[in-house]
Amino acid sequence: MKAFMDKDFLLETETAKKLFHDYAEKTPILDYHCHINPKEIAEDRQFDNITQVWLGGDHYKWRFMRSCGVDEKYITGDASDYEKFCKWAECLGKAIGNPLFHWSHLELQRYFGYNGVLNKNTADEVWNLCNEKLQQPSMSVRNLIKQSNVTLICTTDDPIDSLEWHKKLAADDTFDVKVLPAWRPDKAMNIEKPDYLDYLEKLAAAAGMTEINSFASLKEALKNRMAFFASMGCNVSDHALEYVMYYPASDDELEEIFLKRLNKMVLTKEEELKFKTAFMLFVGKEYHKLDWAMQLHYGCKRDNNTLMFEKLGPDTGYDCINNYAPSAQMADFLNALIVTDELPRTVIYSLNPNDNQAIGTILGCFQDSTAVAKIQQGSAWWFNDHKTGMQDQMISLANLGNLSGFVGMLTDSRSFLSYTRHEYFRRILCNLIGNWVESGEFPADYDTLSEIVTDISYNNAKRYFKFPLA
């Protein structure tokens, strides 16, 4: 029987062990999509206790605690940090088969030097150990990033953001990890939202305009803010879509739809989809001009529990997979951009693992020589970033596309301890490739294998997104 989460955790063959320990383990981390707060990096936050850094905004953990029957008081409520931690420890002790069990123990091992098992019996021991260590200067936010061997971070930022913390970090010579903004214009696109008109006023102010009174003026405001983001080093965009839709409309019809919304009238679903299609086509063409990469995240049905949404708001653990995503429309959307040679480098993520094969076949329709794997399938995302989901995504990509050109893992996280997810991914990657080699499906050519592993772990993302790294 193998030891619990030892140095060869998830590595089943000698080839896998060599690929991980000799190559993947030593490769830096490039986190091109996350939700961490740049202010906390700029101010080099020091956390008071393990609950703050672990449970403060982690809806993965919150969902599991609710599944264990824990009262909301101990999840997002007014229980003490110690009480919340003890409840989490009790739940984690029985989280067999859940990636949270592996992630949590990797974090305990790498950042706190704890190689035991966290459960209800060890809660006090781990609480005291972690909190004592968190008081050390080496556990500040910046030092956590540095000791994780991170070279670059892309945050997630709204077009109206001042990017003041990015400015401060760029001017700070004492911290050499690049922290770049990533453009996330969902609020400018979501015309159906109740607060859309209020948002337009904020966007107009950020763009130095008196008002946004047409779709044409909205586009001008967005171009203004894209130029500002580009001046701050941004070269990555990201979108959260219900699905990648394609409902084309004329310019006149789009202006009528926009005017209808400005007049506080309710749009039909068809009108909403036509506007969002036009919005995405516009920004896609702008990304091509700016040489930005476009990330498309889709397949999520959000805020399903109205009772809890009214109490806690969004992003609190009440989202699920949406299985409506017509691949034909995604293909038509990409085609509408490529027909005028304005298709940017694009990374496609679906929350539904059943979309793997459809995405894999669409990728091959739009590749060209301007980039290796110009149209990518993104890494297994959110409900899929576990062992099975990662393996399935990589196997599908290998079957239908170019796995060696894959841009690899991202944390998609709000936690500064989550960089171990890159290690988790790399172990799974090396094990998958190791099994192929040892079963005779690929030669034991370590010159090639090492290049593939280090490229997927780091180099592909650096080249694909054109980040300013040595």
Side-chain angles (χ1 to χ4, degrees):
M1 182 173 66
K2 291 190 69 171
F4 169 67
M5 290 186 66
D6 64 1
K7 67 182 182 66
D8 294 328
F9 171 56
L10 297 178
L11 306 174
E12 299 172 325
T13 65
E14 291 305 312
T15 302
K17 294 172 188 176
K18 180 174 177 62
L19 290 175
F20 179 75
H21 294 302
D22 290 358
Y23 307 109
E25 188 175 27
K26 300 173 181 178
T27 305
I29 288 172
L30 196 166
D31 204 30
Y32 56 87
H33 177 67
C34 73
H35 297 275
I36 59 176
N37 187 344
K39 179 182 178 182
E40 293 182 335
I41 305 175
E43 296 181 340
D44 201 17
R45 180 181 177 182
Q46 194 98 28
F47 295 96
D48 295 328
N49 61 56
I50 186 63
T51 299
Q52 288 182 4
V53 70
W54 239 10
L55 294 168
D58 192 337
H59 49 78
Y60 285 84
K61 295 186 178 76
W62 296 351
R63 284 172 68 99
F64 187 72
M65 292 173 77
R66 291 174 188 136
S67 296
C68 292
V70 174
D71 190 283
E72 196 66 27
K73 172 184 177 180
Y74 300 100
I75 303 172
T76 61
D78 59 2
S80 69
D81 285 348
Y82 170 73
E83 290 174 315
K84 289 179 179 178
F85 177 80
C86 289
K87 287 294 185 183
W88 167 243
E90 182 178 351
C91 294
L92 187 67
K94 295 183 178 179
I96 188 169
N98 193 301
L100 287 167
F101 190 84
H102 292 153
W103 296 348
S104 298
H105 285 94
L106 280 174
E107 291 169 19
L108 288 172
Q109 290 179 6
R110 301 296 175 262
Y111 297 108
F112 299 98
Y114 182 76
N115 293 300
V117 179
L118 175 57
N119 55 38
K120 62 182 179 182
N121 298 320
T122 59
D124 282 345
E125 174 191 2
V126 175
W127 170 261
N128 292 327
L129 181 151
C130 291
N131 292 347
E132 180 180 351
K133 186 145 189 179
L134 282 169
Q135 305 316 305
Q136 300 174 8
S138 63
M139 296 296 282
S140 71
V141 160
R142 292 191 183 191
N143 284 319
L144 287 171
I145 293 170
K146 290 292 290 180
Q147 66 178 283
S148 301
N149 200 15
V150 177
T151 61
L152 184 146
I153 294 166
C154 285
T155 56
T156 302
D157 308 282
D158 190 275
I160 68 172
D161 198 300
S162 68
L163 305 183
E164 59 180 304
W165 301 107
H166 296 84
K167 291 178 186 176
K168 290 179 180 179
L169 285 163
D172 188 345
D173 293 335
T174 67
F175 188 61
D176 62 357
V177 177
K178 294 185 182 299
V179 181
L180 302 180
W183 169 268
R184 178 79 170 251
D186 297 344
K187 290 181 180 179
M189 183 189 72
N190 290 334
I191 194 170
E192 80 283 7
K193 296 294 185 182
D195 59 352
Y196 186 71
L197 299 184
D198 293 335
Y199 178 79
L200 289 184
E201 291 183 7
K202 296 175 184 176
L203 178 59
M209 299 168 61
T210 55
E211 65 176 342
I212 294 172
N213 56 13
S214 64
F215 185 36
S217 60
L218 171 62
K219 290 188 282 190
E220 287 304 310
L222 291 170
K223 284 197 283 188
N224 175 293
R225 298 305 293 168
M226 281 188 232
F228 169 63
F229 269 59
S231 75
M232 292 298 299
C234 176
N235 56 4
V236 179
S237 70
D238 181 45
H239 297 265
L241 305 171
E242 183 182 350
Y243 63 96
V244 184
M245 72 286 294
Y246 187 68
Y247 281 78
S250 68
D251 290 344
D252 288 344
E253 185 177 6
L254 291 166
E255 290 294 355
E256 290 174 5
I257 291 169
F258 198 77
L259 180 61
K260 183 177 177 181
R261 183 66 183 89
L262 289 178
N263 289 327
K264 301 181 181 180
M265 299 171 67
V266 177
L267 302 183
T268 66
K269 187 64 177 179
E270 182 178 352
E271 288 171 330
E272 176 193 331
L273 293 172
K274 286 180 176 180
F275 173 79
K276 289 182 175 180
T277 297
F279 183 100
M280 290 302 302
L281 290 172
F282 162 72
V283 294
K285 292 175 181 179
E286 291 301 312
Y287 301 156
H288 183 267
K289 291 176 187 175
L290 292 165
D291 202 21
W292 287 8
M294 175 171 68
Q295 297 179 93
L296 305 176
H297 286 86
Y298 72 90
C300 180
K301 186 175 185 301
R302 298 179 185 272
D303 307 322
N304 295 287
N305 186 327
T306 303
L307 176 68
M308 295 307 294
F309 176 78
E310 290 174 351
K311 290 181 179 179
L312 301 176
D315 303 321
T316 51
Y318 295 97
D319 306 325
C320 70
I321 292 172
N322 186 346
N323 65 358
Y324 180 74
S327 58
Q329 288 192 38
M330 178 160 63
D332 289 344
F333 168 75
L334 297 174
N335 186 56
L337 289 170
I338 207 169
V339 73
T340 54
D341 195 21
E342 294 176 285
L343 176 62
R345 300 185 308 283
T346 302
V347 187
I348 301 168
Y349 310 78
S350 175
L351 198 55
N352 188 346
N354 291 329
D355 290 342
N356 282 345
Q357 284 74 29
I359 293 172
T361 58
I362 288 172
L363 303 181
C365 299
F366 299 100
Q367 307 291 14
D368 62 38
S369 61
T370 59
V372 174
K374 176 180 177 177
I375 313 301
Q376 292 256 346
Q377 180 181 14
S379 64
W381 168 47
W382 196 346
F383 297 127
N384 303 302
D385 54 4
H386 44 71
K387 181 181 176 182
T388 303
M390 291 180 187
Q391 287 180 162
D392 287 351
Q393 183 268 343
M394 285 189 280
I395 290 170
S396 178
L397 179 56
N399 283 336
L400 297 168
N402 178 12
L403 178 62
S404 71
F406 176 34
V407 293
M409 187 57 176
L410 56 140
T411 63
D412 191 30
S413 174
R414 292 167 174 80
S415 169
F416 291 97
L417 298 182
S418 62
Y419 298 113
T420 52
R421 294 185 194 177
H422 283 264
E423 176 186 339
Y424 189 63
F425 166 83
R426 292 175 186 186
R427 288 178 178 272
I428 293 166
L429 167 68
C430 290
N431 192 62
L432 178 64
I433 293 175
N435 283 332
W436 284 337
V437 171
E438 298 218 2
S439 66
E441 297 178 57
F442 196 88
D445 171 3
Y446 283 96
D447 288 340
T448 300
L449 292 169
S450 62
E451 183 179 354
I452 291 172
V453 166
T454 54
D455 280 353
I456 294 173
S457 297
Y458 182 79
N459 295 324
N460 285 341
K462 181 177 72 172
R463 290 189 291 256
Y464 183 83
F465 294 108
K466 301 187 179 181
F467 289 130
L469 293 168

